[in-house]
Amino acid sequence: MTAPATQAVRRRVTVRGTVQGVGFRPFVHRLATDLSLAGFVSNTASGVLIEVEGPPDRVAGFCDRLATQPPPLATVTGVGFEDLPVSGADGTFTIRSTDRSPGRTLLPPDTATCADCLRDLTDPADRRHRHAFVTCTHCGPRFTIATGMPYDRAVTTMAGFPMCADCAREYGDPLDRRFHAQPVACPGCGPRLRLAPAAGSEVRPARDADALATARALLAAGRIVAVKGLGGYHLACDATDARAVETLRTRKARGGKPFAVMCADLDAVRRIAVLSTPESAALTSPRRPIVLLRRRAEQAGLAPGVCPGSPHLGVMLPYTPVHTLLFGLPGDPPGPRVLVMTSGNRSGEPIVTDDDEALTRLAGLADAWLAHDRPIASPCDDSLLRVRPDGTEQVLRRSRGYVPRPLRLPVPVRPALAVGGDLKNALCLGEGDQAWFGPHIGDMGDLTTLETARRAEEHMRCLTGVAPEVVAADRHPGYHSARWASRLAEHPPVLVQHHHAHIASAMAEHGLDGTAPVIGVAFDGTGYGDDGTVWGGEILLAGYTGHRRLAHLTPAPLPGGDAGVANPCRLALARLWAAGLPWDADLPSVTACGDDELAVLRQQLARGVACVVTSSMGRLFDAVSSLAGVCHRAGYEAQAALELEAAAAAAWGADSSAYAFGFAAGAYDPAPVLRTLIADLRRGVPAAVLAARFHRGVARAVAEICRRARRDTGLATVALSGGVFANALLEEECARLLTDDGFVVLRHGEVPPNDGGLALGQLVVAAHLRQKE
């Protein structure tokens, strides 16, 4: 019972942060009940509202524990208090229905199946034994099922699955871990699994347990199965079956691009990759990202076609009950322990989420579809990261497990939307001191992707409550994303230079307020420059309100423009041409081109036909890859650079030499690098050593240019950004040299260094520019 009114206090508590869909109301209810306090708790559009009444010491203890002992998936960003008149409540504490007043709260990301739910899944005595949708307040879908806010079952894709009596009893029991868990379900109330075979197949349709058993048998037989996950479909096959892997690669027109794999458990991971303790922690975290791991030489039977030419293997663990059941429980017929698990789409298209669309768009790719009847509200591809030697993480694709978790901004911004770029697109919304990335969308090359971007923008607006007053986009005049931004905005969008946005994103991620600029090293494959040429090897003096080009890679022609990127051998010859070096017949790049190709290329370069000028560091990596004899034709983005990094890694510990760039006012010249590399090539120096010396040469050039910039500006903070810094060897070496020389080095962590992080930089730059106006 509550103490008499004269000895009691009543307090209204408002809690902000990620406090919906994480079991926060059940936590509050249990806490208040344990302390014998009266009152209520309710979700609101701004967070959680609590009124609590009882003895002052118990109310104070209650308020303290709200912020210090929240549920596992909750993040409390603010707690407000207001004293109220005592009501003389009778000592009961209740959960009230959701208040749908205007405001904003934060929705948690989707998270992997928790240990408790895995025990339920595998326990024959539990009523959810083998239930493919087991979940509780501590795990399961959130972002991908939410259709609105505040977060309640009625505004999720679970709304169409009425709870059975048993689930309703758990949902209403404050002592049950499924108390007010919105996705709660069981075999009796759905959702349901089904397996649909391809037309003309001998396989019969199946449901639930039979569907899983059939899918596992198909995978073991070398077939390709489309598997519906949290944020879309995957295409799966046995990663140890060379024929199955090549069939999938051919059907998907994948070229030589590496596949990600899903392993049944950590033991299966250790058989194919080298695994450190921090990497194991990343793999088993609730986010369950794809983690780039170093491949083992023997790889325990992994098919060669899984990741040809790459030093790394993208690995993830099961993160849904469907995945766990697909690998099989004890007593099930054996199946593959390592599966290729690649996005369910055709090359260049967004991931498929709709069931009917999957049967059409994945026809000819899959032999069967393992689907379910819970709709996906928002596509959300797998996140991708690598773990650095110091244990820190570098996210390369920020999506499932991260979205829609906000980032704290170092400076407040007006309500704004940034649409990112045309590659690795991800949009970003911001208001006040928070920014929300949308899920990874991909390359904005067709109408399907643009429609996916439009839906993502609408969904993120709905979930965040941001009504943009400012829209930002890349300055490139040909970008689909920029044209889309112009249609979204009431006023012309703020156009932000590509590399300026890269540096601003690193500054914002590290909490810089912009009062002082930084030395920004922006290395990537392409970006529209201030002079109308293609930039990408830039050293900038940059802040939120502007930038100045301090130095750049000496430009060279890019024959064929973007289409020429698929031919590193041509890029190599263009670089030799710009450096005044001959195309001798013994050079690998010359040998890779036929006589007719060489003749056309000479004419192009001499006349400047279909040639754009570029200072891109990414294109220099491509050129050197061919010149060293590593990769002459690229079947996917950055293939030549990735294979050059793989070669360099093989010789990194055996050779510490570095090729030297030339330096002049405002430029650093690779011509001396090319001359020395060719001389080493003719002396029989292995390609791996050539690659390692080039990587070290680039890092030393960065350090030298930053030293010169420090002398000229007095600045000692360097930001490393752009897609080239996804190269682990280069990023580590640059950071080491700069740190040893006394610089503060900003490296990306949760925000991708590539164009997937571009929108954050656009957002803060645009907000500052509009404030100046």
Side-chain angles (χ1 to χ4, degrees), residues 658-663 669-674 676 693 697 701:
Y659 293 133
F661 283 75
F663 297 94
D669 187 2
V673 171
L674 303 178
T676 310
R693 291 176 180 176

Side-chain angles (χ1 to χ4, degrees), residues 228-506:
K228 187 178 181 181
L230 285 180
Y233 276 82
H234 286 104
L235 291 168
C237 73
D238 183 353
T240 67
D241 186 328
R243 180 176 295 178
V245 171
E246 288 310 311
T247 298
L248 177 55
R249 189 172 291 283
T250 300
R251 290 182 184 179
K252 198 175 176 182
R254 180 80 172 185
K257 189 174 183 179
F259 283 127
V261 299
M262 179 178 283
C263 294
D265 49 36
L266 286 176
D267 286 341
V269 175
R270 292 188 182 97
R271 285 194 287 272
I272 62 174
V274 179
L275 185 63
S276 69
T277 299
E279 288 166 339
S280 177
L283 278 171
T284 56
S285 74
R287 299 187 305 269
R288 286 293 200 281
I290 300 171
V291 180
L292 290 177
L293 304 175
R294 284 185 295 122
R295 298 188 302 176
R296 288 195 180 278
E298 64 280 7
Q299 292 185 42
L302 197 69
V306 170
C307 53
S310 173
H312 298 107
L313 181 63
V315 179
M316 58 181 157
L317 292 175
Y319 55 85
T320 71
V322 171
H323 296 143
T324 300
L325 293 168
L326 194 58
F327 283 108
L329 300 186
D332 286 338
R337 304 300 288 167
V338 183
L339 296 172
V340 166
M341 198 69 80
T342 189
S343 297
N345 55 11
R346 292 186 182 273
S347 184
E349 294 182 353
I351 190 171
V352 177
T353 58
D354 179 79
D355 297 335
D356 291 336
E357 200 174 314
L359 292 172
T360 302
R361 285 177 55 190
L362 302 183
L365 276 69
D367 297 310
W369 286 255
L370 181 62
H372 57 76
D373 53 358
R374 184 180 68 202
I376 295 171
S378 176
C380 201
D381 222 325
D382 296 314
S383 294
L384 171 68
L385 61 82
R386 72 177 180 92
V387 180
R388 299 185 177 102
D390 64 1
T392 61
E393 296 177 1
Q394 182 192 52
V395 175
L396 300 173
R397 184 169 68 212
R398 190 182 190 276
S399 203
R400 179 188 50 76
Y402 291 89
V403 175
R405 189 174 75 190
L407 296 164
R408 181 62 61 89
L409 294 176
V411 288
V413 300
R414 293 169 56 187
L417 164 69
V419 300
D422 269 20
L423 299 178
K424 297 179 174 63
N425 182 268
L427 59 84
C428 189
L429 285 161
E431 183 175 358
D433 65 350
Q434 291 184 319
W436 293 265
F437 269 105
H440 168 80
I441 293 170
D443 297 349
M444 304 279 274
D446 56 36
L447 291 175
T448 306
T449 312
L450 286 168
E451 175 60 20
T452 299
R454 185 194 65 77
R455 291 199 303 267
E457 186 262 343
E458 289 182 351
H459 193 228
M460 290 299 295
R461 281 202 203 196
C462 174
L463 297 186
T464 63
V466 175
E469 299 171 6
V470 178
V471 177
D474 195 275
R475 194 177 289 176
H476 196 299
Y479 269 10
H480 299 288
S481 54
R483 291 197 289 270
W484 175 50
S486 67
R487 295 193 295 270
L488 287 170
E490 293 183 10
H491 306 288
V494 178
L495 301 180
V496 182
Q497 199 279 325
H498 190 90
H499 302 95
H500 183 200
H502 271 309
I503 301 306
S505 73

Side-chain angles (χ1 to χ4, degrees), residues 497-672:
Q497 199 279 325
H498 190 90
H499 302 95
H500 183 200
H502 271 309
I503 301 306
S505 73
M507 293 174 63
E509 182 179 6
H510 282 271
L512 273 64
D513 64 8
T515 54
V518 302
I519 301 167
V521 183
F523 286 174
D524 61 8
T526 183
Y528 189 75
D530 292 340
D531 57 2
T533 65
V534 177
W535 287 9
E538 312 310 309
I539 313 294
L540 305 178
L541 177 67
Y544 295 135
T545 57
H547 69 282
R548 176 164 62 88
R549 199 182 193 192
L550 296 177
H552 57 85
L553 186 68
T554 300
L558 179 60
D562 290 342
V565 175
N567 298 283
C569 54
R570 298 181 192 175
L571 303 181
L573 297 179
R575 265 291 166 192
L576 294 179
W577 185 86
L581 298 173
W583 295 358
D584 294 328
D586 64 330
L587 298 179
S589 304
V590 175
T591 305
C593 296
D595 291 341
D596 291 343
E597 187 176 6
L598 289 170
V600 170
L601 187 58
R602 286 185 189 278
Q603 290 294 320
Q604 272 188 282
L605 295 170
R607 298 177 181 178
V609 176
C611 288
V612 296
V613 175
T614 182
S615 60
S616 166
M617 180 58 72
R619 300 291 79 82
L620 179 62
F621 268 77
D622 292 345
V624 170
S625 184
S626 174
L627 197 58
V630 174
C631 178
H632 302 300
R633 312 286 182 183
Y636 60 91
E637 183 195 3
Q639 178 180 350
L642 284 170
E643 293 185 4
L644 187 70
E645 180 188 359
W652 197 252
D655 187 277
S656 59
S657 303
Y659 293 133
F661 283 75
F663 297 94
Y668 56 106
D669 187 2

